[in-house]
């Protein structure tokens, strides 16, 4: 780390590389490649309601 | 020495400051820098570059705001009554997958059905249902379901649709034109009543019931034989000898769930070694055939001659229990069993065994003809059973209720003609798809264009809705009220467990609205009220119970059925005039065709159910397709291979089908399953297989499923058929009888077993270990699978798929060997391709104590639990697949893709399909290995119950999904450390063995060796 901060040429190279990498990755994240998340689509599930007149079993079946 | 002065060294050389290796001082090894000058390199080293790259990545990730987990978590502030989050509810209802009306128990979580099992209280199916019933829950969440009513392609509201239809129907009646209501056979007494009322309201209405595969021939024969259409059920459990003629009674006919249970109860080595003996005489290779003790290959068009030859031999031996009329004897004199055997080149020994068994077991045997056979065969079989006294095995108390006359192809020809003449003003498709079922050559779809009003009441679009005026969406069975009476002694009820997902209506309520002639008459409860009234009138009032109707009604809904009072049965006397005394024509020797329905998708109504499409065929292990199954000898004669496309022609109609070479099929016979090749259907079912309905025999008076004189020609094309049994096959010579050599399948005859009871274990090796064996002192889970009882129906596969959220991967992935079933049924042949012996074996994770998969996982994602389970920790798995490589049973399944996520054009990503998931089981992501977990969620549930109740865990309280589903009770699960448990009894039994025992992996699944009940002379 000292090497990067102290030497001017290294500082320049560090920020150049970091900047180029960040720009590249930000560009890539605009493409639909799902790099960081497994699914970018949010699906709203249908609301379900139990039928009010259904008669349920008292005991669980085995 | 002070800390500052302390030196560390790794070797004597380093300590003695000898010359250090070059790699310690120079960054680059000698030779690598010959082509460049390291001093002129950028000061930024490789290591620093990678460090900077990862830092930039971190910045970019922070910058990305698209966080995937944006779902809402909403607590139940207003919890619906009777609904506890995290706890399932169970509702009794009735299956609508076929006409058998099996009782079901629907499991719901947070208001949505997630699993269907058999109703344990139901007297007919007794807690079991078939694979189709198990997977039917997916149809509720089918994304292709219709969501609103349409007129043509436009959305309409119910009120305007109803009033327009009522108006038009009235005008049609006034004009004298007819209304056709086309339905499947109605087994609901209330629905029958409703249709009668509809006919009264619209006086020109006619009801046509049909089914692609039906038992009309049997019903007609029964009516002619006994003057009653009520066909008795068979007491399969009391039959010592069964002769099945072209009947797949264990998988496709009548109530095969009940038949499987009763048949397998006579194959239970724990209870008795007095097994039944099954003879199957057929041309194809059906599931029932694979469970037979003796196979006799007889063409379907020769079955009549075969039955009469048997009858002739019985009479000749003086073995008849009744007085055989002289006219019958005269006819029988034209038949001889020996001549039949010689003519058709049958195995004379087997046929002799058969006739000896039938004669020696009079009254304890049954001859059963398949539904596909023509009526005269059924009448002959009825007479044969009378002669042998086998009518003792007819159970009239549980007789099948007659669903009335059904329309045949002849009736549809007349109907289509009437359409073309504009004699009909309206056609109502009442949850049917005749445009698909009827051969296209009859031009049903074109004829509909001549009908002014075509209305379809369906769940999803199909081939018949293409010409619709109105397409009205109906509720799924789980959203509907209903009743059913498939059997004389049981009245079953259907109740809705979920409010309709879409803007659909109960189909009966739609008809009721039209009967009342006002679109405003509709309300959501109208059919419920109508049903209650009908039940009160037809059931409650006749039972004369002490309780009031409301209590009776709620009790009936709770149980799911009402057992009816025994009705007095009149004596059934065989009418000899039914027996055709005229000379019968002999069968042809040309190519013959036999059509049957699919094992899982029925007549095509379940074609969009991916689970059912992907369950491998019980015999060929093919998935996603149908084919023309031909004998190996036929394939050799015609130089055909699997996948070659042939043109099969019946009269003027022809269909191109891929070939499947099926051992055991009779030479010059082709068997084809129908129900495939749907075109107007959701994504899963579209173009899955080939529509072969054009091959139905349209000749008047014949069985539509059997044709002789069929022509075949090669087309030169190829079609890919995928089969789960053929992945990575080894060289044929090497694997011949592999399953016998390696002791995977251990079989013997009953006689051999009695002589040598230890045959199943005598070749087991004594295993040594260099480490001490781990002792499981508490509960230890294990499973036993009785191969005597297993019929390979694959219901366990369907149940496991539903319970454990196993994804459907599609045909192309199955071709790559990537099907995801946690349990599979392996099918092995032995003997010759012309006359093979089939052995089936359910295979699942064996939960080995010395699991070879556990040792090789680099991240310890798979390990062993204290109670004997081989566990899978999904979020540790990094997908090296070493465990699957090491598994000798090849039971591990890898998620090559996010199958349940955005795979296959986001097929699963819709608002309804994810509702089918069982919340108790993790959804696995891409790159993760999965396998059978012995239903660990059910084990956890039992553990929680035990802790809460302050008791020990009881092994018998845990019922795995496969065990729950198996109609034959072949799968047993429990605590092997409990000496009283069924699984430990099987483990100790001399027939219990471990597959690949000599590998010393110590599996926890015990297989019970299969015993074939052949005669003692056979080995």
């Amino acid at each position: 780390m000292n090497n990067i901060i102290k030497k001017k040429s290294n500082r320049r190279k560090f920020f150049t590389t970091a900047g180029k990498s960040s720009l590249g990755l930000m560009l890539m994240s605009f493409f639909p490649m799902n790099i960081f998340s497994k699914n970018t689509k949010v699906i709203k599930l249908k609301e379900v309601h139990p039928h009010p007149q259904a008669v349920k079993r008292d005991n669980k079946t085995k | 020495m002070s800390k500052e002065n302390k030196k560390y060294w790794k070797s004597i050389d380093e300590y003695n400051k000898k010359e250090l290796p070059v790699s310690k001082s120079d960054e680059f090894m000698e030779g690598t820098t010959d082509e460049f000058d390291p001093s002129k390199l950028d000061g930024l080293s490789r290591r620093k570059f990678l460090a900077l790259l990862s830092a930039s990545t971190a910045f970019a990730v922070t910058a990305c705001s698209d966080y995937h987990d944006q779902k809402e978590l909403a607590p139940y502030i207003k919890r619906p009554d009777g609904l506890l989050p995290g706890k399932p509810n169970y509702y009794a209802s009735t299956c609508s997958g076929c006409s058998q009306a099996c009782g079901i128990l629907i499991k719901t979580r947070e208001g949505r059905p997630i699993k269907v099992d058999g109703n344990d209280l139901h007297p007919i199916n007794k807690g079991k249902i078939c694979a189709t019933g198990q997977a039917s829950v997916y149809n509720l969440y089918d994304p292709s379901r219709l969501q609103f009513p349409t007129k043509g392609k436009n959305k309409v509201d119910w009120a305007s649709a109803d009033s327009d239809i009522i108006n038009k129907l009235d005008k049609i009646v006034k004009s004298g034109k007819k209304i056709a209501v086309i339905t499947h056979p109605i087994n609901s007494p209330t629905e029958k009543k409703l249709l009668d009322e509809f006919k009264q309201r619209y006086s020109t209405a006619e009801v046509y019931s049909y089914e692609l595969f039906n038992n009309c021939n049997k019903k007609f024969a029964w009516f002619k034989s006994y003057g009653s259409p009520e066909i008795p059920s068979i007491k399969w459990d009391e039959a010592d000898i069964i002769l099945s003629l072209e009947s797949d009674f264990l998988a496709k006919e009548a109530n095969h769930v009940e038949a499987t249970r009763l048949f397998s109860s006579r194959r239970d080595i724990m209870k008795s070694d007095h097994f039944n003996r099954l003879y199957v005489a057929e041309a194809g290779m059906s599931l029932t055939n694979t469970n037979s003790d003796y196979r006799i290959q007889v063409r379907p068009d020769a079955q009549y001659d075969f039955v009469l030859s048997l009858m002739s031999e019985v009479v000749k031996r003086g073995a008849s229990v009744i007085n055989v009329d002289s006219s019958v004897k005269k006819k029988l004199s034209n038949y001889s069993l020996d001549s039949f055997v010689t003519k058709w080149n049958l195995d004379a020994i087997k046929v002799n065994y058969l006739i000896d068994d039938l004669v020696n077991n009079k009254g304890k045997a049954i001859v059963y003809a398949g539904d596909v056979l023509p009526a005269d065969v059924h009448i002959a079989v009825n007479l044969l059973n009378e002669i042998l006294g086998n009518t003792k095995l007819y159970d009239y108390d549980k007789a099948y209720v007659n669903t009335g006359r059904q329309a045949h192809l002849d009736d549809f020809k007349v109907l289509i003609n009437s359409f073309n003449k504009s004699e009909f003003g309206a056609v109502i498709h009442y949850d049917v798809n005749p445009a698909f079922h009827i051969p296209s050559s009859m031009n049903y779809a074109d004829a509909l264009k001549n009908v002014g009003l075509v209305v379809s009441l369906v769940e999803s679009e199909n081939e018949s809705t293409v010409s619709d005026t109105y397409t009205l969406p109906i509720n799924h069975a789980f959203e509907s009220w209903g009743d059913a009476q498939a059997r004389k002694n049981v009245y079953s009820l259907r109740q809705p467990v979920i409010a309709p997902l879409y803007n659909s209506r109960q189909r009966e309520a739609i008809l009721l609205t039209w009967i009342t002639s006002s679109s405003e008459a509709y309300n959501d409860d109208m059919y419920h009220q109508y049903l209650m009234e009908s039940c009160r009138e037809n059931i409650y009032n006749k039972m004369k119970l002490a309780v009031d109707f409301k209590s009776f009604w709620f009790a009936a809904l709770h149980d799911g059925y009402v057992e009816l009072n025994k009705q007095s049965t009149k004596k059934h006397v065989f009418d000899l005039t039914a027996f055709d005394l005229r000379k019968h024509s002999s069968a042809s020797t040309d190519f013959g065709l036999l059509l049957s329905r699919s094992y899982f998708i029925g007549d095509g109504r379940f074609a969009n159910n991916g689970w059912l499409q992907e369950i491998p065929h019980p015999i060929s292990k093919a998935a996603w397709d149908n084919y023309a199954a031909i004998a190996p000898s036929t394939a050799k004669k015609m130089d055909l291979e699997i996948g070659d496309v042939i043109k099969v022609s019946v009269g003027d109609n022809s269909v191109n089908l891929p070939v499947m070479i099926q051992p055991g099929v009779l030479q010059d016979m082709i068997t084809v399953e129908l129900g495939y090749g749907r075109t107007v259907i959701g994504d899963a079912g579209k173009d899955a297989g080939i529509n072969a309905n054009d091959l139905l025999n349209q000749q008047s008076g014949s069985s539509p499923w059997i044709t002789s004189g069929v022509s075949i020609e090669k087309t030169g094309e190829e079609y890919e058929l995928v089969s789960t049994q053929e992945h990575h096959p080894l060289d044929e010579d090497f694997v011949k009888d592999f399953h016998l050599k390696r002791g995977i399948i251990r079989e013997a005859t009953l006689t051999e077993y009695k002589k040598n009871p230890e045959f199943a274990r005598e070749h087991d090796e004594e295993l040594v270990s260099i480490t001490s064996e781990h002792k499981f002192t508490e509960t230890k889970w294990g499973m036993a699978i009785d191969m005597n009882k297993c019929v390979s129906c694959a219901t366990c596969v369907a149940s496991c798929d539903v319970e454990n959220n196993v994804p459907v991967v599609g045909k192309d992935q199955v071709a790559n060997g990537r099907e995801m079933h946690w349990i599979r049924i392996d099918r092995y042949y032995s003997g010759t391709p012309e006359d093979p012996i089939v052995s089936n074996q359910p295979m699942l994770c064996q939960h080995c104590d010395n699991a070879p998969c556990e040792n090789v996982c680099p991240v310890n994602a798979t390990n062993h639990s204290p109670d004997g389970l081989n566990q899978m920790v999904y979020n540790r798995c990094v997908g090296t697949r070493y465990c699957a490589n090491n598994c000798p049973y090849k039971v591990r399944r890898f998620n090559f893709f996010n199958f349940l996520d955005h795979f296959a054009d986001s097929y699963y990503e819709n608002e309804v399909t994810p509702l089918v998931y069982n919340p108790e089981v993790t959804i696995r992501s891409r790159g993760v290995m999965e396998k059978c977990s012995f239903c660990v969620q059910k084990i956890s549930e039992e553990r929680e119950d035990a802790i809460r109740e302050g008791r020990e865990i009881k092994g018998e309280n845990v019922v795995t999904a496969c065990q729950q589903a198996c109609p034959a009770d072949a799968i047993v699960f429990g605590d092997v450390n409990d000496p009283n448990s069924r699984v430990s009894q099987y483990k100790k039994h001399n027939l219990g063995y471990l597959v690949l025992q000599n590998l010393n992996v110590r599996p926890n699944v015990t297989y019970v060796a299969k015993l074939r009940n052949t005669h003692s002379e056979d080995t």
Side-chain angles (χ1 to χ4, degrees), chain B residues 496-788:
Chain B
V497 301
I498 185 172
L501 293 177
Y502 302 115
N503 184 11
S504 55
R505 287 183 178 179
Q506 175 122 22
R507 66 187 194 199
E508 295 91 343
I510 299 172
L511 278 191
L512 257 181
T513 310
W514 297 347
I515 289 169
T516 56
S517 306
S518 164
S519 59
E520 280 136 40
Y522 176 81
N523 66 74
D524 289 337
D525 203 40
M526 69 190 307
Y527 189 65
H528 175 209
Q529 297 301 323
Y530 186 87
L531 176 67
M532 279 172 64
E533 269 320 298
S534 167
C535 179
R536 185 201 300 266
E537 197 183 305
N538 297 314
I539 306 293
Y540 174 76
N541 288 346
K542 289 179 183 167
M543 290 180 81
K544 298 191 187 348
L545 298 168
V547 295
D548 64 345
F549 175 72
K550 208 170 179 181
S551 307
F552 162 81
W553 176 252
F554 283 118
L557 287 180
H558 173 273
D559 292 349
Y561 73 97
V562 175
E563 200 150 3
L564 300 174
N565 297 334
K566 223 173 176 174
Q567 294 163 34
S568 59
T569 325
K570 61 170 187 168
K571 198 166 160 48
H572 292 81
V573 177
F574 186 84
D575 182 358
L576 209 52
T577 59
F579 186 55
D580 189 352
L581 295 169
R582 293 167 296 175
K583 192 171 183 316
H584 201 272
S585 58
S586 293
S588 104
T589 50
D590 298 336
F591 260 109
L593 173 68
L594 178 64
L595 300 174
S596 59
R597 72 174 175 86
S598 162
Y599 279 99
F600 304 120
I601 64 169
D603 59 2
R605 66 186 80 173
F606 293 101
N608 201 40
N609 191 318
W611 273 321
L612 292 173
Q613 288 276 16
E614 201 152 281
I615 295 176
H617 189 275
I619 321 298
S620 65
K621 301 300 170 194
W624 289 98
D625 276 303
N626 59 342
Y627 42 79
I630 61 173
S633 52
T634 309
K636 198 174 172 182
K637 193 169 78 178
M638 293 187 67
D639 190 28
L640 289 168
E641 287 178 7
I642 293 178
D644 285 348
V645 176
I646 54 171
K647 183 174 163 185
V648 180
S649 303
V650 170
D652 295 329
N653 300 320
S654 63
V655 175
N656 286 2
L657 286 161
V659 158
M660 172 64 77
I661 299 174
Q662 177 59 57
V665 171
L666 183 58
Q667 186 165 354
D668 296 339
M669 277 298 303
I670 308 162
T671 62
V672 180
E673 286 183 2
L674 303 185
Y676 291 85
R678 294 272 311 266
T679 48
V680 182
I681 194 170
D683 290 334
K686 196 171 272 184
D687 299 325
I690 290 155
N691 182 356
N693 293 354
D694 278 353
L695 297 178
L696 285 165
N697 187 348
Q698 298 180 38
Q699 226 175 354
S700 222
S702 345
S703 170
W705 311 288
I706 297 171
T707 314
S708 311
V710 170
S711 71
I712 298 182
E713 56 184 270
K714 288 169 76 164
T715 61
E717 290 166 18
E718 282 181 13
Y719 184 95
E720 192 195 8
L721 286 172
V722 299
S723 164
T724 60
Q725 191 77 38
E726 305 303 321
H727 299 315
H728 317 299
L730 301 174
D731 175 71
E732 198 185 309
D733 288 334
F734 180 67
V735 297
K736 191 178 178 317
D737 294 339
F738 214 38
H739 56 291
L740 296 171
K741 290 177 194 164
R742 294 292 299 272
I744 296 170
I745 297 284
R746 298 184 194 187
E747 293 180 339
T749 63
L750 253 181
T751 317
E752 281 170 353
Y753 170 60
K754 284 173 184 167
K755 283 186 201 157
N756 178 15
E758 299 300 319
F759 83 91
R761 293 180 173 194
E762 61 186 355
H763 298 297
D764 278 351
E765 293 171 16
E766 198 184 317
L767 302 168
V768 293
S769 177
I770 59 172
T771 57
S772 54
E773 198 184 307
H774 176 81
K775 300 276 179 223
F776 292 89
T777 51
E778 305 286 328
T779 312
K780 182 169 192 274
W781 302 107
M783 184 179 273
I785 299 179
D786 189 343
M787 310 237 281
N788 290 299

Side-chain angles (χ1 to χ4, degrees), chain B residues 93 735 812:
Chain B
S93 187
V735 297
D812 51 348

Side-chain angles (χ1 to χ4, degrees), chain B residues 254-293:
Chain B
N255 196 321
H256 54 89
V257 172
E258 180 192 37
T260 302
R261 183 183 83 249
L262 295 175
F263 174 82
S264 297
S265 68
R266 288 295 305 277
R267 294 271 177 168
D268 191 344
I269 195 65
M270 299 302 238
K271 288 188 182 149
S272 157
D273 60 3
H274 186 40
F275 280 12
N276 54 19
R277 182 174 288 150
L278 174 61
Y279 291 85
V280 172
E282 66 177 30
M285 188 56 140
S286 64
L287 184 145
T288 303
N289 207 343
T290 64
N291 290 286
S292 64
D293 298 297

Side-chain angles (χ1 to χ4, degrees), chain B residues 297-332:
Chain B
Q297 289 181 313
V298 178
R299 287 178 67 104
D301 45 2
Q303 290 280 4
Y304 182 77
D305 291 350
F306 182 51
V307 175
L308 260 64
S309 303
L310 287 171
M311 210 186 300
S312 160
E313 185 66 22
V314 169
V315 169
K316 205 163 75 177
R317 292 186 186 196
S320 173
V321 301
I322 59 171
N323 276 330
V324 180
D325 196 77
S326 55
S327 56
V328 173
K329 279 185 182 166
K330 191 179 168 194
K331 171 157 174 139
L332 292 178

